[in-house]
Amino acid sequence: MIIDVKNTIDKIKSEIEQIKSQINYEPKLISLVVEPDESTISYLNSQKKSAKKYGINLEIIESKNLIDDLKKYNEDSSVDGIFVGRPLRKGYTELDVAKNINPLKDVEGVSLYNIGSMFYESEIFVPCTAEAVVKIIEDIEDTEGKNIVIMGRSTTVGKPVAILLQKHGRDATVTVTHTRTKDLKEITKKADILVAAIGKANFVDQTFVKEGTIIIDVGINVINGKIVGDVSKEVSEICNVTPVPGGVGNVTSVILMRNVFKAALN
Ligand SMILES: NC(=O)c1ccc[n+]([C@@H]2O[C@H](COP(=O)([O-])OP(=O)(O)OC[C@H]3O[C@@H](n4cnc5c(N)ncnc54)[C@H](OP(=O)(O)O)[C@@H]3O)[C@@H](O)[C@H]2O)c1
């Protein structure tokens, strides 16, 4: 079966409406991009549509010096949120962004402060995609004591999903796997819930899972001009799988918009 994420999106939309009613201006989001390529431009076009839909004043700026620009907009009181387009170019790293973005304006949840705060109960912003994964899971299944396997250990997806799902109140038993994991299928077959975040098109087939597993497909891969996930289509014959496109990506986009309103409220 295909998991419908509409319910999750509706809940985040109502959070947006609630915050909107507490602020009396259009929040401003700055999207900084360095030498944008076709995929960045296509992503920014969809961000423009979302910003218009939710009433966010979006300014896209092609940055010549990312660190200087981050510092400038960190200080600019007319700016509520800052987004940095990926892939990063000119040798900039994720750590450069993490170290230099103001945590209160960090709507993607990538700053050192926001990453660190995930270990405590004082989160401001958590990485958007990780939050999307957790919200989808929570809307369909109680996570307490569940065996959750995460494929992928990136800073933006795999690791934060693991931290969030282990928190008191969620109480999942989490296993994180990666390219050096031995007997991967033996581990994934034991999962009640499987999160696939590896960036390998159609990698997870029926031999990786037991029947009835809930699968959150985070992957975004382009094959012959079409977007496909990390999970092969036929897996949905025996498991419940989020769609790609139309699953985690859609929830992540709304969370980003909500975070701009949250930043304005902060
Ligand atoms: N839907 C969304 O909103 C959204 C947001 C962000 C990313 N994504 C997509 O999600 C996917 C993952 O993104 P990411 O940024 O986390 O990627 P990433 O930084 O490239 O990390 C990929 C992770 O997967 C692991 N991996 C790769 N091949 C594997 C294999 N054969 N078996 C087990 N583990 C394997 C890697 O292991 P090692 O650490 O050992 O190399 C690494 O930890 C991509 O397709 C990306 O486009 C989607």
Side-chain angles (χ1 to χ4, degrees), residues 43 128-130 132-133 150-159 176-181 184 196-201 203 208 217-221 228-230 244 247-253:
Y43 179 80
C128 288
T129 306
V133 170
I150 301 166
M151 297 173 75
R153 57 176 166 181
S154 71
T155 312
T156 44
V157 191
K159 282 196 190 100
V176 179
T177 67
H178 45 77
T179 52
R180 305 301 162 99
T181 299
L184 181 61
I198 59 174
K200 295 267 155 71
F203 184 85
F208 278 79
D217 189 353
V218 186
I220 297 179
N221 311 286
V228 300
D230 290 344
V244 177
V248 175
N250 286 13
V251 179
T252 304
S253 304

Side-chain angles (χ1 to χ4, degrees), residues 209-240:
V209 291
K210 65 179 180 201
E211 219 174 305
T213 306
I214 291 170
I215 306 179
I216 311 300
D217 189 353
V218 186
I220 297 179
N221 311 286
V222 182
I223 299 284
N224 299 329
K226 267 185 74 181
I227 293 176
V228 300
D230 290 344
V231 180
S232 181
K233 283 275 174 264
E234 83 276 358
V235 178
S236 63
E237 290 163 15
I238 57 166
C239 296
N240 298 308

